[in-house]
Amino acid sequence: MSATNLIHASLTARRRARELDALASGEQVDVLVVGGGVTGAGVALDAASRGLSVALVEAHDLAFGTSRFSSKLVHGGLRYLAHGRLGLARESAVERDVLLRRTAPHLTRPLAQLFPRYADTPAREYALTAAGLTAGDALRRFAGTPSTLLPRPRTVPAAAALTLVPGLRATGLRGGLLAFDGALTDDARLVVALARTAAGLGARILTRVRALELQGDQVRARDELTGDTVDLRARQVVNAAGVWSGGLVPNVRLRPSRGSHLVLDARSTGLGETALMVGVPGELNRFVFLLPQPGGTVYLGLTDEPLDGEATDYTDVPDTDVDFLLDVASTVLDRPLTHDGVRGSFAGLRPLLDTPGGRTADLSREHAVLTDPGTGVVTVVGGKLTTYRVMAEQAVDAAVTEAGLRAPSSRTGRLPLVGAASRAALTTVDAPRRLVGKYGIEAPRVAALGDVDHALARPLFPGCATTAAEVVWAVRHEGALDADDVLHRRTRLGLVPDDAEKARPAVSDLVERSLRGLA
Ligand SMILES: Cc1cc2nc3c(=O)[nH]c(=O)nc-3n(C[C@H](O)[C@H](O)[C@H](O)COP(=O)(O)OP(=O)(O)OC[C@H]3O[C@@H](n4cnc5c(N)ncnc54)[C@H](O)[C@@H]3O)c2cc1C
């Protein structure tokens, strides 16, 4: 991306104020999106890249909702295959390829996953997993993803399994299945990259603007920074508010389910770079994952529990989820996990479409694009992070039809996000690998902030990898408006509360000075 484009793709407090003013004074856009998660940001990008004028309003910050609490997997759709949902599985495999190879190679990586086999692993369960992985590999080929990027699944003997995951319990180990899927460095950063790419094409990305009432062509909204109420006009309003969508239009019924993860110190698990998939005892085709992350942590997930009551802004991880995850993971580890090794936890709500009966774990992961007959609002909901792009494409198609707009078909399948380059090109970027994994080809610019002002090259606290330069970059280019935006969405220091508290004084100071143009 050239320097000029970088400026256009920069989200700042000043830009937000200017663009909100223009809309509040009556300017009409083609498409107004409500919700700044992966779906809403994807819709904004799809519409802007078709040449439509676009605004997006987000009540809090980009990726404030579910999109930052995922398992960060770019799924090939194995789970859907298990449920016989071939179409959905195929869509996932194709979208995984788009992310890994075309739109976001910098934010994604192949992830090796070991499914260990013990003497007491039920033969049927193991055979089913092997068959699923083989079928998943056929979808990889269908999607055109080369085996050099996602190698074919294979069986490995016990010794190799222990080399891959040294912390595995050796007693009774018979070997395992080794497979490969995609993973994101960070889900929240994908959302920020989508929003910035859309902004580079002219979209107005307005955080801290809460939609209060939706009509097909108008949104009454509140600027959460000033408290002012504004009416924003559009040819078509698209509701992409995730689990909160149903509160904004009458025709959407959701049955959210809570998914919890724990953040562990990688050393306490004995994992290397290979993820560990642990079958939930007594359940077929349900796994708990231990997912190694860049930076020395492991995420342990995932629960799937129906939510009691309304979706609120923050979802706690109950002790029952913690116990369940630690217990299941410990069945295959040499050193059982305890509460002491838990450094943090996070939970998100799946925006599952309500269908009668069944557990939330069985509810459809399909998405829906629905037009409310009363208001004319188009809602896009459900699905998952991996398939955000097709969801966005279909939502914009519906918006174009509903409002009679003239627009070409979607081009996001071939549109690299801010910072993207081919995997080969990324290896030549002259910056620390950690930064390339977060910022892609923009990494040298982030590092350069520390060359100009040496204080910005320093870590936020001793032992922390994140530098002050990353905070300044978040304010100057990524739309961070306060310390929480930086701690919880631009960096993920917030996933370990101790780290967040250690970093907070420096981050608050840097954000404040950056907003005033002093850092
Ligand atoms: C625990 C868990 C793990 C998952 N793991 C994976 C995975 O590994 N891979 C995968 O592909 N998918 C995964 N998913 C699914 C995926 O995370 C979600 O489908 C996806 O993030 C939903 O994105 P969204 O943009 O629709 O919703 P959200 O991210 O929730 O975005 C909605 C946004 O709307 C905003 N909003 C709400 N009300 C208003 C209002 N009135 N005005 C303005 N803005 C408003 C919210 O603040 C929020 O930011 C997982 C889901 C969960 C819960």
Side-chain angles (χ1 to χ4, degrees), residues 420-450:
S422 70
R423 290 189 178 276
L426 288 169
T427 60
T428 65
V429 173
D430 185 15
R433 289 299 95 194
R434 189 185 72 79
L435 291 185
V436 179
K438 286 179 74 177
Y439 304 95
I441 56 172
E442 290 187 332
R445 293 175 190 270
V446 181
L449 291 173

mmCIF file of all heavy atoms in Angstrom, residues 420-450:
data_model
loop_
_atom_site.group_PDB
_atom_site.id
_atom_site.type_symbol
_atom_site.label_atom_id
_atom_site.label_comp_id
_atom_site.label_asym_id
_atom_site.label_seq_id
_atom_site.Cartn_x
_atom_site.Cartn_y
_atom_site.Cartn_z
ATOM 1 N N ALA A 420 -1.503 -6.655 3.581
ATOM 2 C CA ALA A 420 -1.344 -7.994 2.985
ATOM 3 C C ALA A 420 -0.291 -8.015 1.885
ATOM 4 O O ALA A 420 -0.041 -7.012 1.222
ATOM 5 C CB ALA A 420 -2.679 -8.466 2.420
ATOM 6 N N ALA A 421 0.312 -9.177 1.722
ATOM 7 C CA ALA A 421 1.193 -9.477 0.586
ATOM 8 C C ALA A 421 1.251 -10.994 0.523
ATOM 9 O O ALA A 421 0.776 -11.670 1.443
ATOM 10 C CB ALA A 421 2.584 -8.900 0.805
ATOM 11 N N SER A 422 1.855 -11.513 -0.530
ATOM 12 C CA SER A 422 1.960 -12.976 -0.631
ATOM 13 C C SER A 422 2.854 -13.482 0.502
ATOM 14 O O SER A 422 3.654 -12.734 1.059
ATOM 15 C CB SER A 422 2.558 -13.370 -1.975
ATOM 16 O OG SER A 422 3.930 -12.996 -1.987
ATOM 17 N N ARG A 423 2.727 -14.779 0.814
ATOM 18 C CA ARG A 423 3.565 -15.338 1.886
ATOM 19 C C ARG A 423 5.043 -15.162 1.557
ATOM 20 O O ARG A 423 5.858 -14.878 2.428
ATOM 21 C CB ARG A 423 3.252 -16.818 2.105
ATOM 22 C CG ARG A 423 1.900 -16.990 2.713
ATOM 23 C CD ARG A 423 1.539 -18.352 3.184
ATOM 24 N NE ARG A 423 0.222 -18.169 3.756
ATOM 25 C CZ ARG A 423 0.003 -17.746 5.002
ATOM 26 N NH1 ARG A 423 1.007 -17.562 5.827
ATOM 27 N NH2 ARG A 423 -1.220 -17.517 5.424
ATOM 28 N N ALA A 424 5.385 -15.334 0.269
ATOM 29 C CA ALA A 424 6.797 -15.194 -0.133
ATOM 30 C C ALA A 424 7.248 -13.753 0.125
ATOM 31 O O ALA A 424 8.323 -13.518 0.698
ATOM 32 C CB ALA A 424 6.943 -15.556 -1.597
ATOM 33 N N ALA A 425 6.425 -12.793 -0.266
ATOM 34 C CA ALA A 425 6.807 -11.385 -0.088
ATOM 35 C C ALA A 425 6.911 -11.038 1.401
ATOM 36 O O ALA A 425 7.790 -10.263 1.808
ATOM 37 C CB ALA A 425 5.796 -10.477 -0.780
ATOM 38 N N LEU A 426 6.063 -11.636 2.203
ATOM 39 C CA LEU A 426 6.090 -11.317 3.643
ATOM 40 C C LEU A 426 7.408 -11.753 4.287
ATOM 41 O O LEU A 426 7.885 -11.105 5.224
ATOM 42 C CB LEU A 426 4.913 -11.982 4.361
ATOM 43 C CG LEU A 426 3.530 -11.364 4.085
ATOM 44 C CD1 LEU A 426 2.424 -12.267 4.628
ATOM 45 C CD2 LEU A 426 3.409 -9.962 4.684
ATOM 46 N N THR A 427 7.996 -12.836 3.763
ATOM 47 C CA THR A 427 9.259 -13.304 4.378
ATOM 48 C C THR A 427 10.388 -12.303 4.138
ATOM 49 O O THR A 427 11.397 -12.342 4.825
ATOM 50 C CB THR A 427 9.692 -14.679 3.818
ATOM 51 O OG1 THR A 427 9.868 -14.530 2.405
ATOM 52 C CG2 THR A 427 8.683 -15.775 4.105
ATOM 53 N N THR A 428 10.221 -11.423 3.155
ATOM 54 C CA THR A 428 11.306 -10.474 2.854
ATOM 55 C C THR A 428 11.090 -9.113 3.527
ATOM 56 O O THR A 428 11.902 -8.212 3.361
ATOM 57 C CB THR A 428 11.422 -10.250 1.328
ATOM 58 O OG1 THR A 428 10.221 -9.607 0.886
ATOM 59 C CG2 THR A 428 11.596 -11.559 0.576
ATOM 60 N N VAL A 429 9.984 -8.964 4.256
ATOM 61 C CA VAL A 429 9.720 -7.657 4.893
ATOM 62 C C VAL A 429 10.766 -7.409 5.983
ATOM 63 O O VAL A 429 11.016 -8.278 6.827
ATOM 64 C CB VAL A 429 8.286 -7.615 5.485
ATOM 65 C CG1 VAL A 429 8.068 -6.335 6.282
ATOM 66 C CG2 VAL A 429 7.250 -7.724 4.379
ATOM 67 N N ASP A 430 11.352 -6.229 5.934
ATOM 68 C CA ASP A 430 12.465 -5.914 6.817
ATOM 69 C C ASP A 430 11.950 -5.379 8.169
ATOM 70 O O ASP A 430 11.932 -4.176 8.407
ATOM 71 C CB ASP A 430 13.343 -4.861 6.110
ATOM 72 C CG ASP A 430 14.599 -4.574 6.906
ATOM 73 O OD1 ASP A 430 14.926 -5.367 7.811
ATOM 74 O OD2 ASP A 430 15.228 -3.524 6.637
ATOM 75 N N ALA A 431 11.484 -6.297 8.991
ATOM 76 C CA ALA A 431 10.972 -5.923 10.321
ATOM 77 C C ALA A 431 10.926 -7.198 11.166
ATOM 78 O O ALA A 431 10.923 -8.302 10.618
ATOM 79 C CB ALA A 431 9.567 -5.323 10.198
ATOM 80 N N PRO A 432 10.874 -7.051 12.504
ATOM 81 C CA PRO A 432 10.769 -8.253 13.341
ATOM 82 C C PRO A 432 9.558 -9.102 12.940
ATOM 83 O O PRO A 432 8.496 -8.558 12.616
ATOM 84 C CB PRO A 432 10.597 -7.680 14.750
ATOM 85 C CG PRO A 432 11.159 -6.298 14.676
ATOM 86 C CD PRO A 432 10.916 -5.813 13.282
ATOM 87 N N ARG A 433 9.741 -10.445 12.964
ATOM 88 C CA ARG A 433 8.665 -11.372 12.541
ATOM 89 C C ARG A 433 7.376 -11.131 13.312
ATOM 90 O O ARG A 433 6.277 -11.239 12.789
ATOM 91 C CB ARG A 433 9.097 -12.829 12.748
ATOM 92 C CG ARG A 433 10.164 -13.361 11.821
ATOM 93 C CD ARG A 433 9.761 -13.340 10.368
ATOM 94 N NE ARG A 433 10.233 -12.119 9.699
ATOM 95 C CZ ARG A 433 9.828 -11.692 8.510
ATOM 96 N NH1 ARG A 433 8.926 -12.336 7.834
ATOM 97 N NH2 ARG A 433 10.294 -10.580 7.984
ATOM 98 N N ARG A 434 7.495 -10.833 14.597
ATOM 99 C CA ARG A 434 6.298 -10.616 15.408
ATOM 100 C C ARG A 434 5.460 -9.474 14.832
ATOM 101 O O ARG A 434 4.227 -9.552 14.756
ATOM 102 C CB ARG A 434 6.699 -10.291 16.851
ATOM 103 C CG ARG A 434 5.542 -10.261 17.832
ATOM 104 C CD ARG A 434 6.004 -9.812 19.208
ATOM 105 N NE ARG A 434 6.311 -8.393 19.239
ATOM 106 C CZ ARG A 434 5.385 -7.432 19.326
ATOM 107 N NH1 ARG A 434 4.125 -7.733 19.420
ATOM 108 N NH2 ARG A 434 5.747 -6.153 19.333
ATOM 109 N N LEU A 435 6.145 -8.421 14.404
ATOM 110 C CA LEU A 435 5.411 -7.283 13.848
ATOM 111 C C LEU A 435 4.824 -7.621 12.482
ATOM 112 O O LEU A 435 3.715 -7.195 12.151
ATOM 113 C CB LEU A 435 6.333 -6.062 13.724
ATOM 114 C CG LEU A 435 6.793 -5.420 15.040
ATOM 115 C CD1 LEU A 435 7.601 -4.152 14.753
ATOM 116 C CD2 LEU A 435 5.615 -5.076 15.948
ATOM 117 N N VAL A 436 5.554 -8.404 11.682
ATOM 118 C CA VAL A 436 5.026 -8.775 10.357
ATOM 119 C C VAL A 436 3.734 -9.587 10.520
ATOM 120 O O VAL A 436 2.775 -9.407 9.766
ATOM 121 C CB VAL A 436 6.086 -9.558 9.535
ATOM 122 C CG1 VAL A 436 5.516 -9.958 8.174
ATOM 123 C CG2 VAL A 436 7.351 -8.718 9.359
ATOM 124 N N GLY A 437 3.683 -10.444 11.569
ATOM 125 C CA GLY A 437 2.488 -11.249 11.825
ATOM 126 C C GLY A 437 1.296 -10.402 12.251
ATOM 127 O O GLY A 437 0.151 -10.849 12.181
ATOM 128 N N LYS A 438 1.541 -9.195 12.711
ATOM 129 C CA LYS A 438 0.426 -8.327 13.127
ATOM 130 C C LYS A 438 0.117 -7.256 12.083
ATOM 131 O O LYS A 438 -1.026 -6.866 11.904
ATOM 132 C CB LYS A 438 0.786 -7.593 14.433
ATOM 133 C CG LYS A 438 0.759 -8.475 15.657
ATOM 134 C CD LYS A 438 1.137 -7.706 16.906
ATOM 135 C CE LYS A 438 0.046 -6.783 17.380
ATOM 136 N NZ LYS A 438 0.400 -6.090 18.633
ATOM 137 N N TYR A 439 1.177 -6.739 11.444
ATOM 138 C CA TYR A 439 0.989 -5.570 10.573
ATOM 139 C C TYR A 439 1.328 -5.846 9.112
ATOM 140 O O TYR A 439 1.173 -4.966 8.274
ATOM 141 C CB TYR A 439 1.858 -4.403 11.060
ATOM 142 C CG TYR A 439 1.591 -4.025 12.495
ATOM 143 C CD1 TYR A 439 2.360 -4.540 13.529
ATOM 144 C CD2 TYR A 439 0.547 -3.163 12.814
ATOM 145 C CE1 TYR A 439 2.109 -4.208 14.852
ATOM 146 C CE2 TYR A 439 0.280 -2.832 14.131
ATOM 147 C CZ TYR A 439 1.065 -3.361 15.145
ATOM 148 O OH TYR A 439 0.803 -3.018 16.447
ATOM 149 N N GLY A 440 1.833 -7.034 8.782
ATOM 150 C CA GLY A 440 2.177 -7.354 7.405
ATOM 151 C C GLY A 440 3.209 -6.384 6.869
ATOM 152 O O GLY A 440 4.180 -6.045 7.545
ATOM 153 N N ILE A 441 2.960 -5.884 5.648
ATOM 154 C CA ILE A 441 3.962 -5.008 5.027
ATOM 155 C C ILE A 441 3.989 -3.616 5.662
ATOM 156 O O ILE A 441 4.845 -2.808 5.325
ATOM 157 C CB ILE A 441 3.766 -4.887 3.495
ATOM 158 C CG1 ILE A 441 2.356 -4.406 3.167
ATOM 159 C CG2 ILE A 441 4.069 -6.215 2.813
ATOM 160 C CD1 ILE A 441 2.170 -4.073 1.692
ATOM 161 N N GLU A 442 3.091 -3.340 6.577
ATOM 162 C CA GLU A 442 3.171 -2.073 7.319
ATOM 163 C C GLU A 442 4.152 -2.170 8.497
ATOM 164 O O GLU A 442 4.455 -1.161 9.143
ATOM 165 C CB GLU A 442 1.791 -1.667 7.843
ATOM 166 C CG GLU A 442 0.831 -1.241 6.743
ATOM 167 C CD GLU A 442 -0.481 -0.671 7.283
ATOM 168 O OE1 GLU A 442 -0.894 -1.063 8.393
ATOM 169 O OE2 GLU A 442 -1.075 0.167 6.612
ATOM 170 N N ALA A 443 4.644 -3.394 8.785
ATOM 171 C CA ALA A 443 5.484 -3.584 9.974
ATOM 172 C C ALA A 443 6.697 -2.633 10.015
ATOM 173 O O ALA A 443 6.999 -2.076 11.083
ATOM 174 C CB ALA A 443 5.928 -5.043 10.074
ATOM 175 N N PRO A 444 7.394 -2.420 8.886
ATOM 176 C CA PRO A 444 8.540 -1.507 8.964
ATOM 177 C C PRO A 444 8.153 -0.091 9.400
ATOM 178 O O PRO A 444 8.926 0.600 10.063
ATOM 179 C CB PRO A 444 9.100 -1.500 7.530
ATOM 180 C CG PRO A 444 8.645 -2.805 6.947
ATOM 181 C CD PRO A 444 7.298 -3.062 7.566
ATOM 182 N N ARG A 445 6.947 0.326 9.041
ATOM 183 C CA ARG A 445 6.506 1.674 9.460
ATOM 184 C C ARG A 445 6.268 1.737 10.962
ATOM 185 O O ARG A 445 6.507 2.748 11.594
ATOM 186 C CB ARG A 445 5.207 2.062 8.748
ATOM 187 C CG ARG A 445 5.362 2.264 7.269
ATOM 188 C CD ARG A 445 3.976 2.515 6.680
ATOM 189 N NE ARG A 445 4.013 2.490 5.242
ATOM 190 C CZ ARG A 445 4.232 3.562 4.485
ATOM 191 N NH1 ARG A 445 4.409 4.728 5.028
ATOM 192 N NH2 ARG A 445 4.252 3.442 3.187
ATOM 193 N N VAL A 446 5.755 0.627 11.505
ATOM 194 C CA VAL A 446 5.542 0.591 12.956
ATOM 195 C C VAL A 446 6.903 0.614 13.652
ATOM 196 O O VAL A 446 7.126 1.388 14.592
ATOM 197 C CB VAL A 446 4.749 -0.678 13.361
ATOM 198 C CG1 VAL A 446 4.495 -0.708 14.861
ATOM 199 C CG2 VAL A 446 3.433 -0.767 12.595
ATOM 200 N N ALA A 447 7.814 -0.230 13.149
ATOM 201 C CA ALA A 447 9.151 -0.280 13.758
ATOM 202 C C ALA A 447 9.857 1.065 13.622
ATOM 203 O O ALA A 447 10.588 1.495 14.531
ATOM 204 C CB ALA A 447 9.971 -1.388 13.096
ATOM 205 N N ALA A 448 9.608 1.755 12.494
ATOM 206 C CA ALA A 448 10.308 3.030 12.240
ATOM 207 C C ALA A 448 9.943 4.100 13.273
ATOM 208 O O ALA A 448 10.748 5.006 13.546
ATOM 209 C CB ALA A 448 9.982 3.532 10.839
ATOM 210 N N LEU A 449 8.756 3.974 13.870
ATOM 211 C CA LEU A 449 8.392 4.959 14.916
ATOM 212 C C LEU A 449 9.425 4.913 16.038
ATOM 213 O O LEU A 449 9.782 5.940 16.621
ATOM 214 C CB LEU A 449 6.999 4.639 15.483
ATOM 215 C CG LEU A 449 5.803 4.856 14.566
ATOM 216 C CD1 LEU A 449 4.534 4.339 15.228
ATOM 217 C CD2 LEU A 449 5.652 6.337 14.227
ATOM 218 N N GLY A 450 9.914 3.707 16.320
ATOM 219 C CA GLY A 450 10.925 3.541 17.370
ATOM 220 C C GLY A 450 12.308 3.995 16.937
ATOM 221 O O GLY A 450 13.152 4.292 17.777
#
